[in-house]
Structures are given as structure tokens and as C-alpha cells.
Amino acid sequence: MAFGTLKADTLTHSTAGSLATNYVVNGSAKAYYHVNVGGDTILDSLNISSHDDDGEGDGGIHLSSSMGSANYSCVLNCDDAGAGSTILNSDVTRDSQAAGTFDYEVVKANSTTNRTNQDAVRFGVMHGDLA
């Protein structure tokens, strides 16, 4: 069933004021994910078709609808679920980001020389234009 097209330049709320529709389109996250500690289950997501568990602290995200280019913004975070890491960081793996996918690593760093991958709860959000 087709519902047609809604065209509006401004959204107005009865008590909260107005907002231009291009702000909503351009400012909204285009994808997000929440993956469990073991990396084998997506707990919640938007526009995510699958997740790869490539080993401890190593994974990949695949988008259902690709971004317009590989130059979108990924904001990643992680939680070691009480494992007591000194520093735990999640980053997109260098040169792996494409319009429809990216790889990432979760790294535990106890010092500048002692860095190892570690499983953790993983979160991410992507901003940019869809294809």
C-alpha cells in the first residue's frame, strides 16, 4: 500500500517550537549497533545487516543500506563489563571503511607498549549521507 509523499520544510510542535526538516535528515544517525561482549550477537541496531566476529576484540559491521561514500563518520565505544582494563578503546581498522562496511578492533592498553585486543560490549553510530 502506497501512502504518497509528504513535503514539508518545517516541523512545528505545539509547545517545543519549530525545526527545519533538513536538520532532521542531515542530523540523524543513519545506523547504530550494540553488540554483546563475545561479539556474536547484535543486541540492538538500525540499518545493520550483520556483524562479523573475527576474533577477540576484532569485528566487522555491514550496513543494510550503504552510505553515499566511505567518508562517513563512525563513533565507536566499548565497555569491558567490569574486566578492569586500564584503557579500552574501539577504533575503525585503518583503510577498512567502505560505503557499506567497516572493520574495527577493541584494544586494551595497560601501557604504551602493552596493547592487546580484548572482547567487550561494543557500541557504534554512523553519521553521513545514505546512498
Side-chain angles (χ1 to χ4, degrees), residues 34-129:
H34 179 183
V35 176
N36 71 336
V37 173
D40 54 356
T41 303
I42 297 174
L43 302 174
D44 195 11
S45 69
L46 169 69
N47 192 26
I48 304 296
S49 62
S50 63
H51 171 265
D52 296 335
D53 183 8
D54 298 326
E56 188 166 356
D58 189 5
I61 295 293
H62 304 275
L63 303 174
S64 299
S65 296
S66 293
M67 303 300 277
S69 74
N71 298 320
Y72 55 96
S73 174
C74 291
V75 180
L76 309 181
N77 205 344
C78 52
D79 178 8
D80 67 2
S85 300
T86 303
I87 299 171
L88 196 60
N89 191 29
S90 183
D91 290 315
V92 173
T93 306
R94 186 172 181 224
D95 299 327
S96 74
Q97 190 169 332
T101 187
F102 65 89
D103 292 329
Y104 67 86
E105 289 185 334
V106 176
V107 178
K108 176 174 92 172
N110 291 327
S111 69
T112 56
T113 58
N114 184 10
R115 300 173 54 84
T116 57
N117 281 17
Q118 177 175 321
D119 276 339
V121 177
R122 303 131 203 218
F123 311 89
V125 63
M126 281 58 63
H127 289 270
D129 294 326

